[in-house]
Amino acid sequence: MSHHDMDMVVLIACGVLLAGVAAVRISSRSSMPGLLLYLGIGLGIGEAGLGIRFDDAQLAYNISALLVGLLLFDGGFTTRWAEFRPVASRAGLLGTVGVLVSVAVASSIAMLVLGVDLRTGILMAAMVSSTDAAAVFAILRRLPLRSKVRTTLEGESGFNDPPAIIIVTVVVSDAWNQMSVTGMLANGLFQLTAGALIGAAVAMVGQAFLHRISLPSAGLYPLATLAIALTAYSVAGVAGGSELLAAYIAGLWLGNQALPHHSTTEGFTESVSWLAQIGLFVMLGLLASPSQLPEAIIPALVIGSALTFVARPISVFACLTPFREKLRTQLFISWAGMRGALPIMLATIPLTHQLPGASHMFHVIFLLVVTFTLVQGPLLPKLAPWAGVLEQISPRELQFDSSPLEGINASLVQFRVPDTGRLVGMWVNDLRLPRGAVVSMIIRDKKILIPDRTLRLQGRDELLLAVESGLVERVQGRLALINEHGPLARWLASGRNRRRLLDGD
């Protein structure tokens, strides 16, 4: 490739990226999900548009899997463990048992209505059985959902990708004819277990690494965190485990630790997530051939309807009824099971194995995703109030950032006092921080103030605290509780853990 050709590639790539960024703005102002605009960009620059031809299914799958891994890492990184822990069993059931139920029901309907054989029926049902992380994270985070509902859906989208990939991979391979059902289940269980354990182990080692080094630039910490995520992904793949589950578990672990420059890293992972999402959908749109879409309309409608209106509700009811979840909440969770890039990515697997009818299956899944995203996405904001799953977002949440101080066993913790929190108007001395933590500086209107007995906190004050490394989480928890309850937090808060956080001695 000549230098001129390379310049053209960069120019086209930047044009696509800028179009994708503009599509985010259009999506936020309308009810149209952004993923449809990205797929449209891919179709527009493809063989039926600008004429760019891309038909390497294996390359598309490899890149897609990596990009989905980055999306899952960001999803795990931004999921708070305190919110996720109460719904972990629900999300786990939806992500495993729910997938199996959806595949069983949807494949049965496909065989009955479309007359396809068992292998094809299972393949097409498995491709669309899992909710898509990119679609779920992009759409649901615009709605102020109750944390239990939102975290359940996000957790499900993190857990159910690996089972769907395992089912599709096994069915298209020689294992379909050579391996027993018990062997397939054992193989799937091994991949899930290995992926989860490797993701957790790599994340723990990475956490220790980030805490023990003092890097000269804050921008290096997000890069190191991204490298840890990719390490978890690749090690799991080499070991035969689930790369996607490893990436999600690594993100879930690291995102809930007091990492150096945590907020900077979170902003970086969000940027990487947007880049991965745009690149993923544009590439999959580029892979499609518009001329083959008309003959995929009827199968797409049949399988999509079977999944959306029959299989998905049955799987949700089967998994959530034991938890005594309200019927309206279950119906909302069922409808919020968005499909996106992952089903299209899974549809490239039969193409890589050159199965008969693989191209037709790909376009059926492509059209199904587009059609039912248009149906489900715009209705979610209207269904949420009916289902009673909305809550008022608290404006008093504190966002902390911390970085290690070189040469001593301490960290610098930074946060901004919210305008409406109970911290506003408090004397600095009334914070009663634990021994080993001190407010070292306050920045107000770009001026540095030294805290003393006469200084009251104001909204938007930037506080810098020097804190012994072992006390970082305790100090953050105490400040958050005082911001919520004010000076009476000691009496209003309950429980041994809150008492420990509130006691300054």
Side-chain angles (χ1 to χ4, degrees):
M1 180 182 292
S2 67
H3 184 71
H4 179 266
D5 292 337
M6 186 64 186
D7 287 339
M8 288 299 299
V9 170
V10 173
L11 179 61
I12 294 173
C14 291
V16 170
L17 180 58
L18 290 174
V21 172
V24 176
R25 180 62 176 172
I26 296 173
S27 175
S28 65
R29 285 175 167 262
S30 65
S31 59
M32 181 180 294
L35 65 92
L36 298 181
L37 298 176
Y38 307 147
L39 289 173
I41 293 173
L43 287 172
I45 65 175
E47 59 185 53
L50 296 181
I52 298 177
R53 186 173 182 84
F54 178 69
D55 55 6
D56 191 332
Q58 184 64 61
L59 178 61
Y61 174 77
N62 292 338
I63 295 176
S64 298
L66 179 60
L67 295 179
V68 171
L70 292 175
L71 287 169
L72 288 174
F73 175 77
D74 175 64
F77 195 87
T78 54
T79 297
R80 301 282 72 87
W81 177 247
E83 298 177 353
F84 179 74
R85 181 171 51 191
V87 302
S89 56
R90 304 175 187 219
L93 277 177
L94 286 170
T96 52
V97 176
V99 169
L100 296 177
V101 173
S102 292
V103 171
V105 175
S107 61
S108 299
I109 295 176
M111 293 168 59
L112 180 64
V113 178
L114 298 177
V116 299
D117 58 24
L118 177 62
R119 189 179 195 181
T120 302
I122 292 178
L123 264 180
M124 299 182 79
M127 290 174 190
V128 294
S129 62
S130 69
T131 58
D132 183 75
V136 170
F137 295 153
I139 293 176
L140 292 186
R141 290 185 179 180
R142 299 178 188 174
L143 299 175
L145 296 179
R146 287 192 284 113
S147 62
K148 183 174 73 171
V149 176
R150 174 177 51 80
T151 310
T152 297
L153 285 165
E154 292 181 353
E156 178 197 8
S157 68
F159 282 129
N160 64 13
D161 290 353
I165 291 178
I166 292 170
I167 294 173
V168 173
T169 303
V170 169
V171 173
V172 301
S173 68
D174 294 335
W176 174 255
N177 297 316
Q178 300 174 358
M179 191 178 293
S180 64
V181 175
T182 303
M184 293 180 186
L185 292 175
N187 179 270
L189 183 61
F190 168 78
Q191 291 189 45
L192 294 176
T193 303
L197 293 177
I198 290 172
V202 171
M204 291 179 186
V205 174
Q207 177 193 357
F209 170 76
L210 292 174
H211 277 297
R212 288 183 178 275
I213 62 170
S214 181
L215 298 175
S217 172
L220 293 174
Y221 286 95
L223 290 177
T225 305
L226 179 63
I228 294 169
L230 295 177
T231 299
Y233 176 93
S234 57
V235 170
V238 171
S242 171
E243 302 104 318
L244 299 185
L245 187 57
Y248 181 73
I249 295 297
L252 188 62
W253 178 271
L254 291 174
N256 286 276
Q257 308 302 317
L259 298 180
H261 299 287
H262 190 286
S263 61
T264 302
T265 302
E266 187 169 327
F268 176 76
T269 62
E270 182 182 9
S271 298
V272 171
S273 174
W274 277 113
L275 180 61
Q277 187 179 155
I278 293 171
L280 179 61
F281 286 112
V282 170
M283 182 185 65
L284 293 176
L286 190 62
L287 192 63
S289 298
S291 61
Q292 298 188 43
L293 292 177
E295 63 183 25
I297 293 176
I298 293 178
L301 291 177
V302 170
I303 297 175
S305 298
L307 177 74
T308 304
F309 300 110
V310 183
R312 172 69 177 175
I314 291 175
S315 66
V316 171
F317 295 158
C319 294
L320 296 187
T321 298
F323 296 97
R324 300 180 179 179
E325 192 62 78
K326 294 179 180 179
L327 178 60
R328 289 192 178 191
T329 302
Q330 293 188 42
L331 290 173
F332 178 83
I333 290 175
S334 174
W335 190 258
M338 304 293 296
R339 269 70 196 173
L342 187 79
I344 304 175
M345 182 192 82
L346 292 178
T348 64
I349 297 179
L351 289 172
T352 63
H353 287 74
Q354 299 181 345
L355 289 185
S359 179
H360 177 63
M361 278 192 284
F362 175 86
H363 289 88
V364 168
I365 301 303
F366 184 93
L367 191 59
L368 184 156
V369 169
V370 171
T371 302
F372 284 87
T373 299
L374 276 172
V375 173
Q376 291 175 260
L379 289 178
L380 279 176
K382 300 178 182 179
L383 288 176
W386 171 82
V389 296
L390 296 178
E391 71 176 359
Q392 189 67 33
I393 299 177
S394 172
R396 299 177 179 177
E397 292 184 3
L398 301 184
Q399 298 294 326
F400 295 95
D401 194 9
S402 65
S403 58
L405 294 172
E406 188 172 1
I408 60 175
N409 185 28
S411 296
L412 183 66
V413 177
Q414 181 178 358
F415 79 97
R416 174 175 292 186
V417 177
D419 291 324
T420 57
R422 295 291 190 90
L423 284 169
V424 175
M426 286 191 63
W427 303 102
V428 174
N429 285 356
D430 287 343
L431 296 178
R432 291 181 57 81
L433 298 175
R435 292 192 181 96
V438 62
V439 179
S440 58
M441 184 188 306
I442 297 176
I443 301 176
R444 179 182 299 167
D445 297 329
K446 297 183 180 181
K447 296 180 180 179
I448 297 176
L449 304 178
I450 304 300
D452 56 28
R453 296 178 180 272
T454 65
L455 187 61
R456 286 180 180 266
L457 298 179
Q458 295 183 8
R460 300 189 181 184
D461 280 354
E462 294 278 353
L463 269 66
L464 281 75
L465 298 85
V467 183
E468 292 182 5
S469 296
L471 296 175
V472 171
E473 291 186 10
R474 180 178 171 186
V475 169
Q476 291 177 355
R478 172 171 171 74
L479 290 170
L481 284 173
I482 292 180
N483 186 59
E484 179 181 356
H485 297 293
L488 297 180
R490 182 186 307 277
W491 291 274
L492 293 176
S494 61
R496 181 175 300 176
N497 289 335
R498 286 194 172 188
R499 180 73 182 182
R500 179 178 62 82
L501 290 171
L502 290 168
D503 286 339
D505 296 332

